[in-house]
Structures are given as structure tokens and as C-alpha cells.
Amino acid sequence: MPKINRYIPSSKTLLAVIKKGKQADFKIWLDFFLTRLYFASTNTAIDIMSGNTAIAGARFFDLGRKIVAVGRNYREHAAELGNQVPEKPLLFIKPPSSYIREGTPIKIPKGCSSLHHEVELGVVIGQRGSDIPEDQAMNYVSGYVLALDMTARDFQSVAKAKGHPWTMAKGFDTSCPVSDFIPKDKILDPHNLELWLDVNGVSKQRGTTQDMIFTLPYLISYISEYFTLEANDVILTGTPAGVGPVVSGDVIKAGIRDIVEYSFRVEQK
Ligand SMILES: O=C(O)/C=C/C(=O)CC(=O)C(=O)O
């Protein structure tokens, strides 16, 4: 096993560090210790590439530098919003600052009067790559995540009418609620998963990843021609039909059947 290229002080050094009050060094050690503890508890591997330590996925929401999202990747969803099916993947970027995890509410952004839920399968990238051939694309995946692509639909409609970007509609704080990391080996066929979403106990979205227009290998390969994909980046693969509005006080519950589920409360910012 390659050497972990990171500062690991001995317990003697640690005591000396604490004594001398070198808090910065202590923080490095503590960070390492907590990371190890985290991995031990989630059974997730530490992935070591090119002499650098890179954590294989479990902390993608802290470490990832971009979220590349795919729009209109399900025919029925494209149709429900009156859109044509795209010939090439329709891409947009959400910032990592949009991530939230269970326990933190989704905040309706200021001025938004139509916040929509969109449930999606997210793909977590495990290693850096550009111009990735389609037949090697799945080697770049470390795992998956259940994600919501919360969308300020009214902002988006105005942006579409004016030919403006979707950044405000898609990238605001709390617009990307995510589940825990799901290691790759827990999902044998990512193209045969049932995605579901309820609002206040009422079924809203039911779909299967079998209906994706562009498959994961195609998306990874296509995206990597334009954006270098890096470890812990996430690709959101589009939402099935049934998107709709939520208001303050609503509770969104969503899942990938048999694998994961979570819930988020919606609040006005
Ligand atoms: O074209 C529209 O009006 C809206 C498209 C979306 O928001 C698409 C998605 O984000 C998606 O399909 O997942």
C-alpha cells in the first residue's frame, strides 16, 4: 500500500504540541484523527493516488469543487415543462456552497415565489480526468448520492425568457440537499434505480433511472471534454417527471428505493 503522504505526529509529539499550545499543529492532527474515525465508522476506503491522499467520496460535500448538473435528461420531465428533448446534454453548474445535509432546512431564496423540488441521482467522481473515453468512464466513479436540485422556477422562467443563465435559479444556498455518500459497490446497476419524492406524505415524483436519455458513461465522457472532472466533484443526472412547488413548512421526503432516504423541511429565508 502506498505511503500516506500526510503529517502524522507521534503521541509524544502531540503531547509536546499541546503543551506548547501550538494549536495549528494540533488541529492538523485532530483533523487526521477525526477523518480516520469517520472512515472507520462508514466503512469507506481511503483512496491514495499519485502519492497524495484523496478521500474516496465520503466527504464529497466538503471537498468537492463543482457540481455539474444535467437538465432535461428524462423525456417526460422535458415534456411536462414544455421543452424539447436535447440532442446533447444540457449542462449547468451549481456551486458546492449549495450543499446541505439532513437536519438543515431548505431555504426559499429572497424574492422566489415558486420553489420546485427535483429529485436526482448524483454521481461522485473518484479521480481526476479529462477527455475520458466512454468505455472507461465508470472507472472514474467512486460512488453515488441522492440529491435534490431545488429550483427557483420563477427565477428560471425569467432567465429563460431573457436568455440569461440559470445561476440564480439553480445555485442559491441550500439548493442542493444531499444524502450520505453511497459507495459504488452498493449500487450494482445505476441505470436501474427507482427514485421517489413525497411532499408532506403525498407522492410527487416516481421515476426510474432506466429512463435517462443520456447514460452515465456518456455524460461523464461528454462533460469531461469541457470540464476536467476532479475527485469529489458531483454530476447530477437530471430529474424524472413530477416536479412541483413547495412552500414554507412543507417536508420533502425522497429516496432511492432499497438504498437511501432522507427528509428536508422547507423554510422561508
Ligand atoms: O427547461 C426548463 O424549463 C427547466 C429545466 C430544468 O430545470 C431541468 C432540470 O434541472 C432537470 O431536468 O433536472
Side-chain angles (χ1 to χ4, degrees), residues 88-150:
K88 292 278 181 188
L90 169 62
L91 304 181
F92 56 93
I93 299 270
K94 289 167 85 89
S97 51
S98 63
Y99 282 135
I100 52 167
R101 315 234 311 121
E102 204 170 12
T104 301
I106 295 166
K107 297 272 190 180
I108 303 172
K110 195 174 154 192
C112 170
S113 57
S114 181
L115 180 66
H116 273 206
H117 55 76
E118 297 189 357
V119 65
E120 310 206 358
L121 173 69
V123 176
V124 183
I125 296 298
Q127 59 170 309
R128 186 182 170 89
S130 56
D131 298 320
I132 300 169
E134 210 175 318
D135 63 359
Q136 289 172 33
M138 293 308 286
N139 297 334
Y140 288 76
V141 174
S142 62
Y144 304 94
V145 63
L146 172 66
L148 300 182
D149 172 19
M150 297 304 298

Side-chain angles (χ1 to χ4, degrees), residues 19-77:
K19 249 185 185 165
K20 287 183 187 161
K22 285 188 179 172
Q23 289 183 355
D25 283 359
F26 179 60
K27 205 171 163 298
I28 291 172
W29 186 89
L30 191 65
D31 176 43
F32 176 80
F33 176 73
L34 290 176
T35 304
R36 290 295 297 267
L37 204 64
Y38 186 90
F39 281 106
S41 68
T42 58
N43 258 344
T44 304
I46 292 180
D47 188 15
I48 299 159
M49 291 173 289
S50 327
N52 296 320
T53 55
I55 295 161
R59 290 182 60 211
F60 71 91
F61 43 83
D62 286 331
L63 302 175
R65 302 210 301 173
K66 60 185 169 298
I67 304 164
V68 184
V70 181
R72 305 177 192 164
N73 199 23
Y74 289 78
R75 275 171 224 288
E76 283 184 24
H77 168 59

Side-chain angles (χ1 to χ4, degrees), residues 42-239:
T42 58
N43 258 344
T44 304
I46 292 180
D47 188 15
I48 299 159
M49 291 173 289
S50 327
N52 296 320
T53 55
I55 295 161
R59 290 182 60 211
F60 71 91
F61 43 83
D62 286 331
L63 302 175
R65 302 210 301 173
K66 60 185 169 298
I67 304 164
V68 184
V70 181
R72 305 177 192 164
N73 199 23
Y74 289 78
R75 275 171 224 288
E76 283 184 24
H77 168 59
E80 75 182 341
L81 295 182
N83 295 306
Q84 299 290 323
V85 168
E87 282 173 15
K88 292 278 181 188
L90 169 62
L91 304 181
F92 56 93
I93 299 270
K94 289 167 85 89
S97 51
S98 63
Y99 282 135
I100 52 167
R101 315 234 311 121
E102 204 170 12
T104 301
I106 295 166
K107 297 272 190 180
I108 303 172
K110 195 174 154 192
C112 170
S113 57
S114 181
L115 180 66
H116 273 206
H117 55 76
E118 297 189 357
V119 65
E120 310 206 358
L121 173 69
V123 176
V124 183
I125 296 298
Q127 59 170 309
R128 186 182 170 89
S130 56
D131 298 320
I132 300 169
E134 210 175 318
D135 63 359
Q136 289 172 33
M138 293 308 286
N139 297 334
Y140 288 76
V141 174
S142 62
Y144 304 94
V145 63
L146 172 66
L148 300 182
D149 172 19
M150 297 304 298
T151 302
R153 198 67 76 198
D154 48 349
F155 292 3
Q156 189 185 39
S157 299
V158 171
K160 280 167 67 180
K162 292 185 174 171
H164 289 175
W166 294 358
T167 315
M168 291 277 288
K170 293 284 196 179
F172 57 89
D173 288 351
T174 78
S175 65
C176 196
V178 284
S179 69
D180 284 345
F181 175 70
I182 305 163
K184 189 180 183 180
D185 62 1
K186 298 268 184 279
I187 293 186
L188 296 181
D189 182 3
H191 299 100
N192 186 16
L193 298 173
E194 285 178 55
L195 298 173
W196 61 272
L197 182 145
D198 296 349
V199 179
N200 303 330
V202 178
S203 169
K204 296 290 180 183
Q205 288 191 272
R206 293 288 182 276
T208 164
T209 56
Q210 283 176 341
D211 292 340
M212 279 184 192
I213 296 166
F214 301 109
T215 63
L216 302 192
Y218 182 87
L219 288 173
I220 292 166
S221 175
Y222 180 81
I223 290 168
S224 75
E225 286 177 34
Y226 300 93
F227 307 96
T228 297
L229 290 171
E230 299 167 288
N232 298 298
D233 284 350
V234 165
I235 297 175
L236 298 185
T237 57
T239 195

